Amino acid sequence: MVLIVTSTEKRVLSKMALIDIKRAHNMSIEEVRVAAEDLVEVLEKDFGVDHAWQGENVVNFSCAPKGISGTLTVQPDQLLLKVKLGLLASMFERPLRKEIDNYLDEHLH
């Protein structure tokens, strides 16, 4: 299978926003999993994402119609969050980042 990408499609793809957050914590892995699940449920409520755990430490989430997808990874000493926002969803980058930062400030220690 060969994928051909036009110059117009390249410009659109380059305008996708990426939120990349790494947060250290001093919590047990179980506590961080609970915080991660709660965060994804907030994103589900506020931005319409669906989520599913992949194993015990990774949760994938997405909302295809809005162009939002991401992965949240729980590690023993940090939480990693990557969110890709499509062209239309990129207008929500600031409020989404603010909501995530506020949540993590409040719930990770």
Side-chain angles (χ1 to χ4, degrees):
M1 180 172 156
V2 176
L3 178 63
I4 299 171
V5 179
T6 67
S7 60
T8 301
E9 291 167 328
K10 285 180 185 176
R11 283 193 301 267
V12 169
L13 291 173
S14 69
K15 293 183 183 199
M16 293 179 70
L18 178 65
I19 298 173
D20 191 359
I21 297 173
K22 296 177 185 170
R23 286 290 183 97
H25 66 80
N26 293 316
M27 300 164 60
S28 73
I29 197 84
E30 291 80 20
E31 291 172 315
V32 179
R33 279 190 202 114
V34 169
E37 178 70 26
D38 291 346
L39 172 58
V40 176
E41 287 176 3
V42 168
L43 298 177
E44 183 175 11
K45 181 177 111 325
D46 292 351
F47 296 94
V49 303
D50 293 320
H51 70 282
W53 283 90
Q54 180 182 356
E56 292 189 13
N57 296 331
V58 177
V59 62
N60 296 311
F61 56 92
S62 67
C63 179
K66 292 183 181 175
I68 301 171
S69 65
T71 303
L72 195 154
T73 305
V74 175
Q75 295 181 340
D77 61 345
Q78 65 181 348
L79 184 133
L80 309 173
L81 178 68
K82 290 187 184 280
V83 183
K84 293 178 189 175
L85 302 172
L87 184 61
L88 295 176
S90 64
M91 73 175 121
F92 298 111
E93 180 181 5
R94 283 189 180 146
L96 180 57
R97 182 182 293 274
K98 183 177 180 182
E99 182 147 0
I100 292 168
D101 282 335
N102 289 343
Y103 183 89
L104 295 176
D105 288 346
E106 190 175 318
H107 293 89
L108 285 188
H109 49 82

